[in-house]
Amino acid sequence: MSTLPTKAYEEIVNLASKSAVSLVRFIFCDTSSIIRGKATKVERLRDRLESGIGLVKGTMAMNMLDQTQFGTGLSATGEIRLVPDPDTWTVLPYCDRSAAMICDLVELDHKPWVMCPRTLLKRQIASAKEMGLSFQVSFEPEFMLGNWVDGRFVFIDDSRCFSTDGMNRASKFINRFADCLERQNIEVEQYYPEYGPGQHELSIRHAEALRACDRHIYYRETLRGVAAEQNIEAFLAPKPFADKIGNGCHLHVSVWDAYGERNLLWSDSGLSDFGRYFVAGMLAHLKGIVALTCASVNSYRRLKPNSWSSAYTCWGFENREAAIRIPSVYWGQEMATTNIELKCVDSSSNPYLALAAVIAAGIDGVKRQLELPSQVSVNPSTLSEEEMEHSKVERLPQSLQEALNELQKDQLLMNMLGEFGPVYIGVKSSECGAFAAADDEFELSHHRSIF
Ligand code: GLU
Ligand code: MG
């Protein structure tokens, strides 16, 4: 079930010496979506590739304030290994003499650890493969740029959405960011200044499911790395400022046959029956899914009506207020470009868990041939009660705690998470408690730059 490394360890060691790297980071994305890791000196890399680097199990019980939740059963005892996937090797262009690899969390007996989010996704991909399915995926993050001046945040621009003036003002950062991504073989698709002050969006090319999550991790790393290099603040948090627009991280998914030749979402007449079942499955589980895709207390400031972030369980063609948007296809590339966009996703989610949940839910819809409710072509917040009932439209959870309660009730998602489910709920609930006990600024400041 694990993807076998296609690059031999020797090749990695060669790459490291050729690029004059001194430290190699073994990184992973934790329960609260913090990217953590340990680095090995390059001289010890060969051994570390073989043995991994040790990590205390309690790390996965830490919340985003670094408070370890011992109630989860994970503690200071017990050790796992960070075992890198050689296919994720990258030299970090924004950091002197450093490289990184993304790791799985592996038990000392070499078995995958049940608390490893990346392994949980691999399991979903493997069972989908048994059904003859594969996925093309991309995460589409928005972020804000600026600097603190005398305690006040000054945005890099205050220009209009899509404006060329915004492009000019942010160009030094954006050009360097795009270059650094390309140097890590992450192809840039599009870029534009977004709606709010200092808000920008740069999208990258889709990839196979696991690789798309790995790319999103490197995207986040690179954004923060370039920001540190240029002495700028880059915020990926869902809602860095209470009175400004939120940062989404919409998730685009298409489902293909096992060979990646035929997009199963597509039919001559639009969304295929398969596609309709898949979307119906996502909708049926959406209230639980958001506990994994909008994974922080801060997320729920963003998920409000009239902010293009989605606030209701509904779908629609090109409806930017619907949780699931079916984007229009590109001329001449109808089959290849048919995809599903999930809007209730942000960068505080662990991408492996977010995507695993979406795949599990979509496949559940296909297996049960769930009927897709009628599409919503207006702003769902304007629907009457009867109309909401007719299209099965419900308000999404309005707090992380509410979403966690929905997740706990969702047997399919809890089965997908297995033993990790209660740990996730324990860690995330502790964040609800910690932030409820403090003021708004404590919550905002602890989320802004952490992802
Ligand atoms: N900023 C919006 C969000 O929070 C998305 C705007 C858009 O790209 O449609 O999701
Ligand atoms: Mg956008």
Side-chain angles (χ1 to χ4, degrees):
M1 71 142 277
S2 65
T3 12
L4 281 177
T6 55
K7 277 186 198 128
Y9 291 155
E10 295 306 336
E11 201 184 326
I12 295 294
V13 173
N14 277 340
L15 285 171
S17 65
K18 264 197 249 153
S19 45
V21 158
S22 167
L23 285 168
V24 181
R25 301 175 188 178
F26 283 27
I27 66 172
F28 67 103
C29 189
D30 80 355
T31 310
S32 287
S33 191
I34 311 293
I35 304 170
R36 305 185 193 250
K38 291 184 175 181
T40 177
K41 194 72 180 51
V42 73
E43 289 77 7
R44 304 281 294 136
L45 179 60
R46 184 70 188 82
D47 294 344
R48 289 294 168 241
L49 285 166
E50 208 76 63
S51 65
I53 295 185
L55 188 77
V56 56
K57 285 188 166 175
T59 311
M60 285 302 276
M62 277 181 182
N63 68 17
M64 63 181 288
L65 296 167
D66 267 2
Q67 298 159 339
T68 311
Q69 300 308 303
F70 295 111
T72 58
L74 300 179
S75 66
T77 48
E79 166 117 348
I80 44 133
R81 295 277 188 264
L82 293 171
V83 176
D85 177 344
D87 283 343
T88 64
W89 165 266
T90 186
V91 176
L92 306 177
Y94 49 84
C95 208
D96 202 25
R97 301 180 65 206
S98 299
M101 279 183 280
I102 298 176
C103 297
D104 289 331
L105 310 179
V106 177
E107 292 268 23
L108 297 185
D109 63 5
H110 298 269
K111 295 210 176 87
W113 190 31
V114 287
M115 307 288 165
C116 173
R118 196 168 183 269
T119 303
L120 286 175
L121 174 63
K122 283 195 202 173
R123 221 164 258 159
Q124 289 307 306
I125 295 171
S127 60
K129 197 173 169 194
E130 280 172 21
M131 295 172 63
L133 306 177
S134 66
F135 303 90
Q136 284 293 315
V137 175
S138 76
F139 289 86
E140 195 182 73
E142 296 169 329
F143 51 87
M144 276 171 198
L145 302 172
N147 274 104
W148 291 106
V149 180
D150 300 331
R152 206 169 61 86
F153 195 74
V154 180
F155 292 97
I156 201 165
D157 64 272
D158 193 9
S159 48
R160 304 286 89 94
C161 189
F162 310 133
S163 76
T164 49
D165 177 55
M167 294 185 187
N168 294 339
R169 288 177 198 273
S171 66
K172 183 172 167 229
F173 180 88
I174 296 293
N175 287 340
R176 173 77 178 142
F177 178 42
D179 281 351
C180 287
L181 290 173
E182 297 269 353
R183 281 167 63 182
Q184 297 170 89
N185 297 319
I186 301 173
E187 308 97 321
V188 172
E189 278 275 330
Q190 279 187 26
Y191 156 70
Y192 47 85
E194 254 288 355
Y195 187 74
Q199 193 185 42
H200 293 258
E201 177 172 327
L202 182 143
S203 55
I204 57 173
R205 189 144 185 82
H206 54 84
E208 175 279 319
L210 182 67
R211 296 299 160 216
C213 294
D214 292 342
R215 279 171 167 222
H216 182 53
I217 296 295
Y218 282 136
Y219 184 111
R220 287 170 49 188
E221 287 295 276
T222 306
L223 187 84
R224 278 188 283 101
V226 173
E229 187 189 60
Q230 295 197 355
N231 266 321
I232 280 184
E233 302 287 344
F235 300 148
L236 279 158
K239 195 83 166 174
F241 300 95
D243 61 344
K244 299 282 182 297
I245 193 80
N247 290 320
C249 180
H250 307 162
L251 174 57
H252 290 259
V253 180
S254 54
V255 190
W256 295 69
D257 64 13
Y259 310 102
E261 284 171 0
R262 204 165 58 87
N263 184 347
L264 304 175
L265 300 180
W266 175 83
S267 80
D268 272 337
S269 50
L271 203 56
S272 64
D273 284 347
F274 178 97
R276 295 179 70 84
Y277 298 144
F278 198 91
V279 173
M282 286 171 66
L283 281 174
H285 294 282
L286 201 54
K287 285 161 80 178
I289 288 177
V290 287
L292 298 159
T293 57
C294 296
S296 64
V297 168
N298 187 252
S299 297
Y300 294 82
R301 288 183 186 272
R302 169 182 165 255
L303 286 189
K304 297 270 165 69
N306 307 317
S307 49
W308 297 20
S309 58
S310 83
Y312 296 88
T313 62
C314 62
W315 76 284
F317 288 106
E318 282 303 6
N319 185 347
R320 284 182 161 74
E321 282 289 336
I324 295 177
R325 175 175 78 109
I326 306 298
S328 50
V329 288
Y330 278 90
W331 297 324
Q333 300 173 59
E334 289 74 8
M335 192 270 279
T337 56
T338 299
N339 73 91
I340 300 167
E341 179 188 57
L342 183 63
K343 289 179 86 72
C344 41
V345 184
D346 65 54
S347 290
S348 71
S349 64
N350 178 313
Y352 303 99
L353 299 176
L355 185 57
V358 167
I359 292 177
I363 287 184
D364 184 50
V366 172
K367 282 189 178 157
R368 295 198 285 145
Q369 304 208 332
L370 287 182
E371 191 188 335
L372 185 61
S374 42
Q375 73 139 330
V376 172
S377 53
V378 296
N379 183 335
S381 68
T382 64
L383 295 176
S384 67
E385 256 177 53
E386 298 79 70
E387 288 167 327
M388 283 180 72
E389 189 139 337
H390 174 256
S391 297
K392 293 210 175 111
V393 178
E394 287 179 77
R395 185 73 169 87
L396 284 170
Q398 296 186 51
S399 68
L400 180 59
Q401 193 57 65
E402 209 188 303
L404 291 169
N405 297 342
E406 293 290 340
L407 174 62
Q408 204 150 22
K409 284 193 285 189
D410 191 313
Q411 212 43 59
L412 178 96
L413 296 176
M414 289 307 283
N415 284 347
M416 182 277 288
L417 293 169
E419 286 175 58
F420 181 60
V423 172
Y424 184 82
I425 288 174
V427 168
K428 286 283 146 188
S429 298
S430 76
E431 289 173 9
C432 299
F435 290 115
D439 64 10
D440 284 2
E441 190 44 38
F442 181 82
E443 176 228 305
L444 294 164
S445 63
H446 279 85
H447 284 81
R448 274 187 198 115
S449 56
I450 200 162
F451 309 111

Coordinates of all heavy atoms in Angstrom, one line a residue, residues 140 142 162 192 194-196 199 201 238 245-250 302-303 307-310 320 325 341 343-345, ligand 1:
E140 N -5.9 25.6 -4.0 CA -5.8 27.0 -4.6 C -5.8 28.0 -3.5 O -6.8 28.7 -3.2 CB -7.0 27.1 -5.5 CG -7.1 28.2 -6.5 CD -8.4 28.2 -7.2 OE1 -9.5 28.6 -6.5 OE2 -8.5 27.8 -8.3
E142 N -5.3 31.3 -1.2 CA -5.2 32.8 -1.2 C -4.4 33.2 0.1 O -4.3 32.5 1.1 CB -6.6 33.4 -1.1 CG -7.5 33.1 -2.3 CD -8.9 33.4 -2.1 OE1 -9.4 33.4 -0.9 OE2 -9.6 33.7 -3.1
F162 N -8.0 42.0 -9.1 CA -7.4 41.7 -10.4 C -6.7 43.0 -11.0 O -6.4 43.0 -12.2 CB -8.5 41.3 -11.5 CG -9.5 40.3 -11.0 CD1 -10.8 40.4 -11.2 CD2 -9.0 39.1 -10.4 CE1 -11.7 39.4 -10.7 CE2 -9.8 38.1 -10.0 CZ -11.2 38.2 -10.2
Y192 N -3.1 36.5 -9.6 CA -3.8 37.8 -9.7 C -4.0 38.3 -8.2 O -4.0 37.6 -7.3 CB -5.1 37.8 -10.4 CG -6.0 36.6 -10.0 CD1 -6.9 36.7 -8.9 CD2 -6.0 35.5 -10.8 CE1 -7.7 35.6 -8.6 CE2 -6.9 34.4 -10.5 CZ -7.7 34.5 -9.4 OH -8.5 33.5 -9.1
E194 N -6.1 39.5 -5.4 CA -7.5 39.1 -5.1 C -8.3 40.3 -4.5 O -7.9 41.4 -4.6 CB -7.5 37.9 -4.1 CG -7.8 36.6 -4.7 CD -9.3 36.5 -5.0 OE1 -10.1 37.4 -4.6 OE2 -9.7 35.4 -5.6
Y195 N -9.4 40.0 -3.9 CA -10.4 41.0 -3.5 C -9.9 42.0 -2.4 O -10.2 43.1 -2.5 CB -11.6 40.2 -3.1 CG -12.8 41.1 -2.8 CD1 -13.5 41.6 -3.9 CD2 -13.2 41.4 -1.5 CE1 -14.6 42.4 -3.6 CE2 -14.3 42.2 -1.3 CZ -15.0 42.7 -2.3 OH -16.1 43.5 -2.1
G196 N -9.3 41.4 -1.4 CA -9.1 42.3 -0.2 C -7.8 43.0 -0.3 O -6.9 42.7 -1.2
Q199 N -4.4 41.1 -0.6 CA -4.7 39.6 -0.8 C -4.3 39.3 -2.3 O -4.6 40.0 -3.2 CB -6.1 39.4 -0.6 CG -6.4 37.8 -0.5 CD -7.9 37.5 -0.4 OE1 -8.7 38.1 -1.0 NE2 -8.2 36.5 0.5
E201 N -3.6 35.7 -5.1 CA -3.8 34.3 -5.3 C -2.9 33.8 -6.5 O -2.9 34.4 -7.5 CB -5.3 34.1 -5.7 CG -5.6 32.6 -6.0 CD -7.1 32.3 -6.2 OE1 -7.9 33.0 -5.5 OE2 -7.4 31.5 -7.1
P238 N -7.2 31.5 7.5 CA -8.5 31.7 6.9 C -9.0 33.1 7.1 O -9.7 33.7 6.2 CB -9.5 30.7 7.7 CG -8.6 29.8 8.4 CD -7.2 30.4 8.5
I245 N -11.6 40.5 4.2 CA -12.0 39.2 3.5 C -11.1 38.0 4.0 O -10.0 38.2 4.5 CB -11.8 39.5 2.0 CG1 -12.5 38.4 1.2 CG2 -10.3 39.5 1.6 CD1 -14.0 38.6 1.0
G246 N -11.7 36.8 3.8 CA -10.9 35.6 4.2 C -10.1 35.1 3.2 O -10.2 35.4 2.0
N247 N -9.1 34.2 3.6 CA -8.3 33.5 2.6 C -8.8 32.1 2.5 O -8.8 31.3 3.4 CB -6.9 33.3 3.2 CG -6.1 34.6 3.2 OD1 -6.2 35.4 2.2 ND2 -5.3 34.9 4.2
G248 N -9.3 31.8 1.3 CA -9.8 30.4 1.0 C -8.6 29.6 0.5 O -7.5 30.1 0.3
C249 N -8.8 28.3 0.4 CA -7.8 27.4 -0.2 C -8.7 26.3 -0.9 O -8.8 25.2 -0.5 CB -6.9 26.8 0.8 SG -5.7 25.7 0.0
H250 N -9.4 26.8 -2.0 CA -10.4 25.9 -2.6 C -9.7 24.7 -3.1 O -8.5 24.7 -3.6 CB -11.0 26.7 -3.8 CG -11.6 28.0 -3.3 ND1 -12.0 29.0 -4.2 CD2 -11.9 28.4 -2.1 CE1 -12.5 30.0 -3.5 NE2 -12.5 29.7 -2.2
R302 N -14.5 32.9 8.5 CA -14.5 33.0 7.1 C -15.8 32.5 6.4 O -16.3 33.1 5.5 CB -13.3 32.3 6.5 CG -13.3 32.1 5.0 CD -12.1 31.4 4.4 NE -12.4 31.0 3.1 CZ -12.7 29.8 2.7 NH1 -12.7 28.8 3.6 NH2 -13.0 29.5 1.4
L303 N -16.2 31.3 6.9 CA -17.4 30.7 6.3 C -18.7 31.4 6.6 O -19.5 31.0 7.4 CB -17.5 29.2 6.9 CG -16.5 28.2 6.4 CD1 -16.9 26.8 6.9 CD2 -16.4 28.2 4.9
S307 N -19.5 36.1 1.2 CA -18.1 36.3 1.1 C -17.4 35.4 0.2 O -16.2 35.2 0.2 CB -17.5 36.3 2.5 OG -17.9 35.1 3.2
W308 N -18.2 34.7 -0.7 CA -17.6 33.8 -1.7 C -16.8 32.6 -1.1 O -16.0 32.0 -1.8 CB -16.7 34.6 -2.7 CG -17.5 35.6 -3.5 CD1 -18.6 36.2 -3.2 CD2 -17.1 36.2 -4.7 NE1 -19.0 37.1 -4.1 CE2 -18.1 37.1 -5.1 CE3 -16.0 36.0 -5.6 CZ2 -18.0 37.8 -6.3 CZ3 -15.9 36.7 -6.8 CH2 -16.9 37.7 -7.1
S309 N -17.1 32.4 0.1 CA -16.3 31.3 0.8 C -17.2 30.1 1.0 O -16.7 29.0 1.3 CB -15.9 31.8 2.2 OG -17.0 32.2 2.9
S310 N -18.5 30.3 0.8 CA -19.6 29.3 1.0 C -20.0 29.2 2.5 O -19.1 29.3 3.4 CB -19.2 27.9 0.5 OG -18.5 27.2 1.4
R320 N -20.5 30.9 -7.0 CA -19.4 31.2 -6.0 C -19.9 31.3 -4.6 O -19.0 31.5 -3.7 CB -18.6 32.3 -6.5 CG -17.7 32.0 -7.7 CD -16.8 33.1 -8.1 NE -15.6 32.7 -8.9 CZ -15.7 32.3 -10.1 NH1 -16.8 32.2 -10.8 NH2 -14.6 31.9 -10.8
R325 N -18.8 24.2 -6.3 CA -18.9 24.9 -7.6 C -18.5 24.0 -8.7 O -17.4 23.4 -8.5 CB -18.1 26.2 -7.6 CG -18.1 26.9 -8.9 CD -17.4 28.2 -8.9 NE -16.0 28.1 -8.9 CZ -15.2 28.4 -10.0 NH1 -15.7 28.9 -11.0 NH2 -13.9 28.3 -9.9
E341 N -15.1 21.9 -7.6 CA -14.3 22.8 -6.7 C -15.1 22.9 -5.3 O -16.3 23.2 -5.3 CB -14.3 24.3 -7.2 CG -13.6 25.2 -6.2 CD -13.7 26.7 -6.7 OE1 -14.8 27.2 -6.8 OE2 -12.7 27.3 -6.8
K343 N -15.3 24.8 -1.9 CA -14.9 26.1 -1.5 C -14.7 26.2 0.0 O -13.9 27.0 0.5 CB -15.9 27.2 -1.9 CG -15.9 27.4 -3.4 CD -16.9 28.5 -3.8 CE -16.4 29.9 -3.7 NZ -15.4 30.3 -4.7
C344 N -15.4 25.3 0.8 CA -15.2 25.3 2.2 C -13.9 24.5 2.6 O -14.0 23.5 3.3 CB -16.4 24.8 2.9 SG -17.2 23.4 2.2
V345 N -12.8 25.1 2.2 CA -11.5 24.5 2.5 C -10.6 25.7 2.8 O -10.7 26.7 2.1 CB -10.9 23.7 1.3 CG1 -9.5 23.1 1.7 CG2 -11.8 22.7 0.8
Ligands
GLU1 N1 -11.8 34.8 -0.7 C1 -12.8 33.9 -0.9 C2 -12.8 32.8 0.1 O1 -12.6 33.0 1.2 C3 -12.8 33.3 -2.3 C4 -12.9 34.3 -3.5 C5 -12.8 33.5 -4.8 O2 -11.8 33.2 -5.2 O3 -13.9 33.2 -5.3 O4 -13.0 31.6 -0.2

